[in-house]
Amino acid sequence: GQNIDQPTEMTATEGAIVQINCTYQTSGFNGLFWYQQHAGEAPTFLSYNVLDGLEEKGRFSSFLSRSKGYSYLLLKELQMKDSASYLCAVMDSNYQLIWGAGTKLIIKP
Amino acid sequence: GAVVSQHPSWVICKSGTSVKIECRSLDFQATTMFWYRQFPKQSLMLMATSNEGSKATYEQGVEKDKFLINHASLTLSTLTVTSAHPEDSSFYICSARDTSGYTDTQYFGPGTRLTVL
C-alpha cells in the first residue's frame, strides 16, 4: 500500500530552527511536495522536489533522498506566524497526490 | 504562484437543499482539478478527481449522486452537494493541477466552509 509518515506534532522556539521529516512508500514517484496549512485555511504550496538534494527558498528548505524514501522541510529563524500544519505529499505514478496526515508545528516565544 | 479561486467562501443552508461550489483557475488552464473535504483537526480527504470534458473519478466511499462534479471548461469545476444534511457540514477545498511550468503542482483554492442546519 501507499504510505506517508510524518510526526503528528512538533514544538520549537521563536528564532530557532526546526526540521520536519517525512518518509514515504508509494507506487511510483513523480515528486514530493510540502504545503503549509494554517488553522481554518486551505493549504498553500511551499516546495517541490523531484531530484535528490536540497532546495532552498528563503527561510524554508526542502531535502529529498529518493533512494531512502525520505524528505525533510527545514524552517530557519522561526517566527510565530510559522505556527501551522505542514503537509508532505507525494505524487505517485498516476500523478495523484498521496497525502501525509500533517505535522502540527507549535512555535513558543 | 498560480491562483485558484473558490466561491462561495462560506455558506449556510437548510437540510435538504443543494449547494453549488465553484472552483476557478485564474491564470492557468487546468485539465485536472481535485475536490477535497476536511473535517476539523483531520487530514485532507480526496473526494474526487475532475477532468475537463469527462466524468469525474470518485474515491471509494464518496457518493457520486450526492456530490455532483462538472468540469465544463479548462478553468472551472463545480461541486454540487445535493440534498445536504448536517453531516455534510465541512470545509470543502478544491485544487487545480498546473502542468504549464517545469513542475506538476496542485494549487489550492481558499476553501468553502459549508454549514448545514
Side-chain angles (χ1 to χ4, degrees), chain A residues 77-92:
Chain A
E77 301 169 18
L78 285 170
Q79 301 174 9
M80 297 304 292
K81 67 178 182 178
D82 297 330
S83 292
S85 286
Y86 291 85
L87 309 175
C88 173
V90 173
M91 185 171 283
D92 69 9

Side-chain angles (χ1 to χ4, degrees), chain A residues 35-84:
Chain A
Y35 286 83
Q36 179 191 60
Q37 186 177 25
H38 284 101
E41 299 181 10
T44 55
F45 170 75
L46 288 179
S47 69
Y48 168 75
N49 293 68
V50 68
L51 300 176
D52 290 350
L54 188 68
E55 294 276 346
E56 297 185 77
K57 196 185 291 185
R59 293 189 298 115
F60 293 6
S61 303
S62 56
F63 172 83
L64 173 68
S65 169
R66 288 172 296 170
S67 62
K68 295 181 180 178
Y70 167 69
S71 172
Y72 67 72
L73 179 68
L74 190 73
L75 291 76
K76 302 176 185 176
E77 301 169 18
L78 285 170
Q79 301 174 9
M80 297 304 292
K81 67 178 182 178
D82 297 330
S83 292

Side-chain angles (χ1 to χ4, degrees), chain A residues 33 35 37 40-43 45 48 87 91 95-97 99-101, chain B residues 34 36 38 43-44 49 91 93 97 103-106 108-110 113:
Chain A
F33 299 79
Y35 286 83
Q37 186 177 25
E41 299 181 10
F45 170 75
Y48 168 75
L87 309 175
M91 185 171 283
Y95 295 93
Q96 290 270 33
L97 275 182
W99 293 90
Chain B
F34 302 87
Y36 294 86
Q38 188 174 37
S43 303
L44 288 171
T49 301
F91 191 40
I93 315 171
R97 184 178 166 195
T103 64
D104 185 333
T105 304
Q106 284 188 34
F108 285 85
R113 195 163 300 282

Side-chain angles (χ1 to χ4, degrees), chain B residues 30-33 50-55 70-76:
Chain B
T31 54
T32 306
M33 292 184 175
S50 168
N51 295 298
E52 188 265 336
S54 65
K55 291 183 179 180
N70 184 275
H71 192 158
S73 79
L74 289 171
T75 58
L76 173 64

Side-chain angles (χ1 to χ4, degrees), chain B residues 5-21:
Chain B
S5 71
Q6 204 171 324
H7 177 81
S9 301
W10 56 270
V11 58
I12 301 173
C13 68
K14 293 182 179 179
S15 186
T17 60
S18 294
V19 175
K20 180 187 278 190
I21 304 170

